[in-house]
Amino acid sequence: MPRYEFRCRACGDTFEVNRPMTESGEPASCPQGHADTVKLLSTVAVTGRGGGFTSSPGPAASGGGGCCGGGCGCG
């Protein structure tokens, strides 16, 4: 079940609520009993288990896509 982070505007506490995604936009009361809360935007870090840098030629070394990889023109 997803966990959503909220901050209470009255006391400043930050707390988490576990609830289904279908209820993600519902208001949440702070543990101190205040109702004036706001849902915080959470970030998720995704990391892989790749081998890191490779010196062999191939798609990863060709610079053929993505931002600053030649695809967007900023590099």
Side-chain angles (χ1 to χ4, degrees):
M1 186 170 306
R3 181 177 301 177
Y4 299 96
E5 192 172 21
F6 288 83
R7 176 169 289 137
C8 177
R9 291 181 179 164
C11 67
D13 279 350
T14 300
F15 59 97
E16 295 178 344
V17 176
N18 292 328
R19 57 171 60 158
M21 291 177 79
T22 57
E23 299 174 12
S24 66
E26 298 295 319
S29 294
C30 125
Q32 304 300 321
H34 306 120
D36 189 13
T37 61
V38 62
K39 186 169 84 168
L40 301 177
L41 180 63
S42 300
T43 58
V44 176
V46 178
T47 60
R49 295 184 60 178
F53 177 76
T54 179
S55 61
S56 63
S62 69
C67 188
C68 298
C72 66
C74 70

